[in-house]
Amino acid sequence: MHPNEELITKFYSAFQNKDGVTMSSCYDPEATFSDPAFTDLKGKEVGAMWQMLVERGQNLSIRFSNVKADDQTGSADWEADYSFSKTGRMVYNRIHAEFTFQNGKIKSHKDSFSLWKWAGMAMGPVGYLFGWLPMIQNKIRTEANTGLALYMKRKRIS
């Protein structure tokens, strides 16, 4: 197995174990992360986001597959089942991840999934009906980033 495949496997295994500290250790200090909700995280924000998600993840269950990597890039598919903390509604999310690497760490990480489908599961009928609207998606992004900022302040991560 390529060392970067081992790194991706370590990352998702830590996610399965709700070990945000180990997940964070897989990233370069200057790493970037993006997904449909958290669009432009950098540095310590990246690790803090995972730590926040594993702490809040009620009934969190993670599965991953199709791990591939070489010296420069990698990818994986993963699935998450959890209760969304704001509504208590069950979410099943299928995600494709793309990575770049530097010095044995993740340098960039981009997750892709349907924010509209996620909104429908997390928010119920309102999400299904209106989750495709830019106004609703921007509200989801704003709430996600505000939640991360509050989490980092509470945990004194700067």
Side-chain angles (χ1 to χ4, degrees):
M1 183 182 289
H2 190 281
N4 288 332
E5 287 179 335
E6 291 176 359
L7 181 62
I8 293 171
T9 299
K10 175 183 175 181
F11 175 82
Y12 286 112
S13 295
F15 201 178
Q16 287 177 320
N17 293 319
K18 300 180 185 174
D19 182 354
V21 173
T22 297
M23 293 173 74
S24 298
S25 76
C26 295
Y27 286 97
D28 181 89
E30 307 282 317
T32 61
F33 176 85
S34 178
D35 77 5
F38 295 97
T39 56
D40 191 27
L41 302 183
K42 295 180 178 96
K44 291 184 180 182
E45 294 172 327
V46 178
M49 183 239 352
W50 292 115
Q51 291 177 33
M52 177 183 75
L53 293 178
V54 298
E55 283 181 26
R56 292 183 179 173
Q58 301 173 30
N59 309 323
L60 178 64
S61 173
I62 302 295
R63 293 163 306 287
F64 65 97
S65 61
N66 301 322
V67 174
K68 298 175 187 153
D70 58 28
D71 291 340
Q72 304 297 318
T73 63
S75 63
D77 296 314
W78 62 283
E79 302 172 4
D81 294 294
Y82 58 95
S83 297
F84 181 55
S85 60
K86 286 195 169 200
T87 63
R89 297 180 64 85
M90 284 303 296
V91 172
Y92 165 70
N93 204 6
R94 292 177 41 186
I95 302 104
H96 179 72
E98 297 282 336
F99 303 92
T100 64
F101 305 100
Q102 180 175 299
N103 300 321
K105 300 283 187 176
I106 298 168
K107 181 66 175 171
S108 70
H109 178 173
K110 181 177 181 182
D111 280 350
S112 300
F113 61 88
S114 169
L115 191 56
W116 179 19
K117 287 181 183 177
W118 179 90
M121 289 180 276
M123 299 164 56
V126 170
Y128 281 115
L129 292 172
F130 303 110
W132 60 274
L133 290 169
M135 179 180 72
I136 299 298
Q137 292 190 356
N138 287 336
K139 184 175 190 234
I140 292 167
R141 290 181 186 109
T142 297
E143 288 182 8
N145 286 296
T146 299
L148 177 58
L150 290 171
Y151 176 84
M152 290 179 72
K153 183 177 180 180
R154 191 173 65 249
K155 295 288 184 169
R156 295 189 172 107
I157 301 169
S158 57

